[in-house]
Amino acid sequence: SNTRWLCVVLADKMGHHLMVHPAMIPRNLKSFPYICGNRMLSGYKPKSSVKDSYRILELEEGCSLDDVRNSYRSLAKRYHPDSGSATADSEAFVKVEAAYRVVLSDVMHKKKSNENNEEEEDQFKPKAPQHRHYLSFEGVGFGTPSQREKQYMQFRVDRATEQVLEYRKQRHESQYAGADLMKAKDVRQSKKVKITQAVERLVEDLIQESMAKGDFDNLSGKGKPLQKFSDCPHIDPMTHNLNRILIDNGYQPEWILMQKEIRETIEQLRQSIVASRSKLGGPMTPYRQKQWNRICEQFIEDIRKLNKRVDNFNLVVPLLSRQMVHFSADKEIVRAQKTYEALMENREASISDTKENEEENVKRFGWKSSLFKWLNL
């Protein structure tokens, strides 16, 4: 019968079937109702094979499912025949795959057994009985409902008293903390005032000492009034004078000095290349063309160095609208050529005007010059 016999179908290569009694099956063998080919789908794995499988996958017992999957992926990439790697080996890959299945089933079996044990423990945990009449009055008190109501009213009074005391305590603490902060602020302010007064007295003493030595007698503006107002009426006169004094003594911001230097440098380079082109003159012979090419190469190098200064200037300038763009060497060379051509045109026009004026003077005063020549003879 089904209660006394367990039918397990075992199929070998010849296709024979066997009937096995349950007592003949080991306890740790969990049999399945079918077999695929000559590979038995059973959860029973010998201990040695499980250890070997962990060793093949380079894992230790007690690892997680993610560790098993990650190890299998890395080893599959290493040994798979189609991976194209130098360590590809079909036999090693077959061992890795078999070990992966064994380890995966072992980890899943342990996980399920742990979950079952936890469920059994939860079932036997003691649970406090929940009575309906204890759900009212916030669970406070014991006894009859009237007794619990009185106890709950007393509980509310005690809780309100504690809240009031806590509120008063916090308010007093905040007041004392504010007073302490005010005291600390007054102390810092008094120290700041004392330091400021000490610095002012020191500066005044140094000024009087310098005046006594005569250090201010050789100043260029001695005895002359200061230029109190600037050209812009919206600027504060004191701020303008202070800024002018700082600028006159070399205390200009770095980005202003760099901007001034860049503008002066580009003007010098433009003038020098125009002067070099004017010296070569025209028309351009092969020798002069070589000289002009060397001048252009040097000019390109100077422009490259200038663009580095522009980059440094853009890093320190405080306003984005004040940033500068790179100078183009090709455009500057074309500009120099046009400037040279314009100078040559102006020179030719001035020469032609001079000749015309001389011819007019000869026509107008020609008889006087001939008379002077005859008298001198």
Side-chain angles (χ1 to χ4, degrees):
S1 64
N2 293 333
T3 59
R4 297 184 59 186
W5 290 89
L6 176 65
C7 179
V8 179
V9 181
L10 300 177
D12 57 2
K13 294 182 180 180
M14 301 300 294
H16 295 91
H17 294 77
L18 298 176
M19 299 293 291
V20 182
H21 193 272
M24 300 173 61
I25 301 176
R27 293 181 179 179
N28 55 358
L29 177 62
K30 296 182 179 178
S31 58
F32 289 87
Y34 62 91
I35 291 178
C36 180
N38 55 1
R39 180 180 176 183
M40 184 173 66
L41 298 179
S42 174
Y44 172 74
K45 299 294 179 182
K47 194 67 176 178
S48 60
S49 64
V50 173
K51 290 183 178 180
D52 295 338
S53 301
Y54 276 104
R55 181 180 54 78
I56 292 172
L57 292 180
E58 300 176 357
L59 295 172
E60 296 180 356
E61 294 186 7
C63 59
S64 62
L65 290 174
D66 294 334
D67 297 335
V68 176
R69 295 191 183 98
N70 294 333
S71 178
Y72 173 70
R73 286 177 188 145
S74 62
L75 293 174
K77 291 179 182 178
R78 189 188 307 172
Y79 296 117
H80 198 281
D82 299 333
S83 63
S85 62
T87 59
D89 188 358
S90 59
E91 295 181 359
F93 175 71
V94 171
K95 293 181 180 179
V96 169
E97 187 177 7
Y100 169 67
R101 295 181 184 277
V102 172
V103 172
L104 188 62
S105 63
D106 184 66
V107 173
M108 292 293 293
H109 176 69
K110 290 180 180 179
K111 184 178 180 181
K112 289 181 180 179
S113 63
N114 293 332
E115 290 177 355
N116 293 332
N117 293 333
E118 290 178 358
E119 290 178 358
E120 291 177 358
E121 291 178 358
D122 293 337
Q123 290 178 0
F124 290 102
K125 284 183 179 179
K127 295 182 180 178
Q130 296 292 334
H131 300 288
R132 185 176 298 276
H133 67 277
Y134 282 107
L135 298 177
S136 59
F137 304 121
E138 299 181 17
V140 176
F142 58 91
T144 62
S146 60
Q147 293 174 351
R148 293 183 63 244
E149 184 178 2
K150 293 179 181 179
Q151 295 171 10
Y152 178 64
M153 294 298 293
Q154 185 63 35
F155 168 75
R156 291 183 61 184
V157 171
D158 296 339
R159 185 172 60 182
T161 305
E162 291 178 358
Q163 292 178 354
V164 170
L165 293 175
E166 184 66 24
Y167 171 73
R168 290 179 179 176
K169 179 181 175 182
Q170 292 179 358
R171 189 174 65 177
H172 287 304
E173 288 179 354
S174 62
Q175 290 178 357
Y176 290 141
D180 294 338
L181 289 175
M182 291 298 293
K183 290 180 180 178
K185 186 176 180 181
D186 293 339
V187 171
R188 288 197 298 269
Q189 189 69 23
S190 62
K191 289 183 179 179
K192 185 177 179 181
V193 171
K194 290 179 181 178
I195 292 171
T196 305
Q197 293 176 354
V199 172
E200 290 178 353
R201 287 197 299 269
L202 178 61
V203 171
E204 185 66 24
D205 293 340
L206 291 174
I207 291 173
Q208 295 296 332
E209 184 179 354
S210 299
M211 291 176 65
K213 291 180 180 179
D215 295 337
F216 296 158
D217 295 338
N218 297 325
L219 296 178
S220 59
K222 181 184 179 182
K224 297 180 182 179
L226 292 174
Q227 185 180 357
K228 185 175 180 181
F229 298 99
S230 62
D231 298 333
C232 182
H234 303 289
I235 298 177
D236 181 39
M238 183 61 68
T239 305
H240 171 72
N241 291 331
L242 291 175
N243 290 334
R244 186 171 58 80
I245 292 170
L246 292 174
I247 290 171
D248 293 341
N249 289 275
Y251 290 96
Q252 292 182 354
E254 183 182 2
W255 65 274
I256 292 179
L257 297 175
M258 292 179 68
Q259 185 181 27
K260 182 179 179 182
E261 183 183 0
I262 290 170
R263 289 177 178 176
E264 291 177 353
T265 304
I266 190 62
E267 289 298 328
Q268 292 176 0
L269 291 175
R270 288 170 179 172
Q271 293 176 4
S272 64
I273 193 171
V274 171
S276 300
R277 182 64 186 88
S278 300
K279 288 181 181 178
L280 294 176
M284 296 286 285
T285 60
Y287 177 73
R288 291 180 177 177
Q289 186 65 38
K290 291 181 180 179
Q291 290 182 342
W292 174 245
N293 291 336
R294 286 195 295 269
I295 293 170
C296 291
E297 291 176 358
Q298 183 62 36
F299 181 76
I300 292 171
E301 181 65 20
D302 295 336
I303 290 294
R304 186 182 65 81
K305 294 179 181 178
L306 183 62
N307 287 332
K308 287 186 178 180
R309 295 186 195 173
V310 171
D311 292 336
N312 296 331
F313 168 76
N314 291 334
L315 291 175
V316 298
V317 67
L319 301 176
L320 292 176
S321 59
R322 293 281 186 165
Q323 289 190 347
M324 302 177 68
V325 297
H326 284 187
F327 296 98
S328 176
D330 297 334
K331 291 182 180 180
E332 294 295 336
I333 291 172
V334 172
R335 179 179 178 178
Q337 186 68 25
K338 291 181 180 179
T339 304
Y340 166 73
E341 293 176 357
L343 289 175
M344 295 302 296
E345 290 178 358
N346 293 333
R347 186 178 299 175
E348 290 177 359
S350 62
I351 292 172
S352 61
D353 293 340
T354 304
K355 288 182 179 180
E356 290 178 358
N357 292 332
E358 290 179 355
E359 290 177 357
E360 290 179 358
N361 292 331
V362 168
K363 290 180 181 180
R364 185 179 301 175
F365 304 104
W367 61 274
K368 293 183 179 180
S369 60
S370 61
L371 179 60
F372 288 141
K373 290 180 180 179
W374 180 76
L375 290 175
N376 292 328
L377 294 174

